[in-house]
Amino acid sequence: MARTTKIIQDFRVFVGTWNVGGRTPPDGLNLHDFLQVEGSSDIYVLGFQEIVPLSAGNVLVIEDNEPAVKWLELINEALNRAQSRRNSSFSSSESLRGSKDSRSHFFHKPSLKVLSRNLRGDNALLKACNCHLDSQPAGKRRPRRHSETADEFLSMDELSSFPNAMRFCLVACKQMVGIFLSVWARRDLVQHIGHLRISCVGRGIMGCLGNKGCISISLSLHQTSFCFVCSHLASGEKEGDELKRNADVAEIMKSTQFPKTCKNPYRKAPERITDHDRVFWFGDLNYRVSLSYEETRLLLEDNDWDSLLEKDQLNVEREAGRVFCGFDEGRIFFAPTYKYSHNSDSYAGETVKSKKKRRTPAWCDRILWHGKGIEQLSYVRSESRLSDHRPVCAMFAAEVEVRSKSITRFRKGYSCTTRLDC
């Protein structure tokens, strides 16, 4: 029996967060620069907040999935743009066509479920234990059969050309009212991803509804576990509101529990957030600056961000050990990301006469991490004027434990076959 050795390999992970203020993205919105596609990350993790207005209808009645569909299409277009240009037969709208007659089976109303299925990479064991795959020859892995009755999938002719147009495949996506989280991976990595599980915790109205809270996605890449937490915490800039946000984090930590899926007696898939080898927590954390509007504006005019960051509530609360214990955050070299006037580079207080409507500029949108083997390569914000928040993104090098056989197959050019029926 051949001896299996384990090797540490670095993978690049892109994490982005954006509170889009309930605004549906316009047609043609270019996410290419925001996603830093030229940086060639291996995994892309995108978290959005307020993709729908937080109205009573969206919170209490039914979620509006149409904005999520548009964001998913735009992300796919940005990540796979080079390939989709080469293959003129592919477009996001075509991914919604049925398998029989495209005219009779075209979805006039966008379907998040259908589109996400059509963008996913093929891994029959993605949501279960795949620990044995490294020792199983690639040619003997049993693929999932294409559904013969589900008209929502692509035709076999489309299947033959569609995978070649996709450099990145969707691993998972989930919406909870206004929070939307999606994880994408390089096509050849999908076969090495398993133990996929999703957990949602509502912390909004009555302390349980989904207008605030988090979505967490847990997965394993080769032999290393990852957890991605996208959260929208309690709002407010009154004194003491930071304690509500601390309470949200504590409750999320307590309530998030992933189901058991691993059947390997020698390996246990993590069930809690901080049980994972690598954790990335991001979103509109809503921590403010504990200064008056006037004091903050004076420091901003002098670009004295260091003095402002000393009064940043998240920094203060973390240093005091009251929240995010054991988490790290890179140094901030960008201006506060909230609150901007609509379609403007001016903070809300500069153009709003009413003191009730102005907000003290703050770094509400943040990205933190937990665990060893993580190096932050960049931490920046983008300059889109779509909402009253600026998007924030970070690039990481994350160590992953890889079996030597897996690396050998990868170097010989093996890759997964991207099918759309998983």
Side-chain angles (χ1 to χ4, degrees), residues 88-235:
S88 60
S89 63
F90 168 76
S91 70
S92 295
S93 61
E94 286 176 345
S95 69
L96 297 176
R97 293 180 181 174
S99 60
K100 295 181 180 179
D101 179 48
S102 61
R103 293 183 180 180
S104 61
H105 293 278
F106 186 82
F107 284 80
H108 294 286
K109 186 175 182 179
S111 168
L112 179 61
K113 181 179 179 181
V114 171
L115 180 60
S116 62
R117 283 180 177 177
N118 287 344
L119 292 176
R120 282 180 188 148
D122 180 36
N123 182 350
L125 296 176
L126 191 67
K127 296 183 180 180
C129 174
N130 66 346
C131 294
H132 67 286
L133 289 184
D134 285 325
S135 59
Q136 184 178 358
K140 295 184 178 181
R141 296 176 192 170
R142 181 175 63 86
R144 292 189 68 174
R145 299 182 63 183
H146 181 73
S147 171
E148 298 177 355
T149 59
D151 290 338
E152 60 203 38
F153 296 122
L154 302 181
S155 68
M156 294 308 294
D157 290 337
E158 289 172 309
L159 277 169
S160 64
S161 60
F162 188 89
N164 296 326
M166 293 181 65
R167 186 162 55 115
F168 290 90
C169 297
L170 178 67
V171 174
C173 68
K174 178 66 177 178
Q175 178 181 357
M176 182 180 74
V177 187
I179 304 174
F180 181 56
L181 175 60
S182 67
V183 177
W184 303 69
R186 254 189 15 240
R187 199 160 62 93
D188 53 278
L189 288 183
V190 176
Q191 62 180 323
H192 302 297
I193 296 176
H195 305 101
L196 177 63
R197 296 159 296 167
I198 300 176
S199 174
C200 297
V201 176
R203 288 292 297 163
I205 300 172
M206 297 184 291
C208 61
L209 296 186
N211 56 307
K212 292 290 193 296
C214 85
I215 300 172
S216 302
I217 293 180
S218 169
L219 57 85
S220 62
L221 175 59
H222 291 283
Q223 304 298 304
T224 300
S225 60
F226 286 81
C227 186
F228 305 106
V229 185
C230 175
S231 64
H232 192 184
L233 305 183
S235 60

